[in-house]
Amino acid sequence: MKNSFLKLWGTPILLALLSMFGLIAALLGDGLWDILGWLTLSIPLFLIIKHYLK
């Protein structure tokens, strides 16, 4: 049961956590936080574009 759950929902949960962290990091401050926000928010966008072009 656990293996099939992670197989199905592992990637969406990871992308949701990355997006939440990116949004919170962008709100927290400047400098490094902005860079972390941009990087973590660009990962889901990159994956969407990659699968769209596939």
Side-chain angles (χ1 to χ4, degrees):
M1 171 81 177
K2 184 178 180 181
N3 189 22
S4 62
F5 177 80
L6 287 178
K7 194 176 217 181
L8 179 64
W9 290 103
T11 302
I13 290 172
L14 179 63
L15 291 176
L17 291 174
L18 281 174
S19 296
M20 278 196 315
F21 176 78
L23 291 171
I24 292 170
L27 290 173
L28 283 178
D30 292 329
L32 180 62
W33 289 109
D34 286 334
I35 294 170
L36 287 174
W38 275 98
L39 287 175
T40 55
L41 288 173
S42 65
I43 292 170
L45 183 62
F46 171 74
L47 291 174
I48 290 169
I49 292 170
K50 179 183 166 189
H51 286 283
Y52 178 76
L53 294 175
K54 197 179 198 184

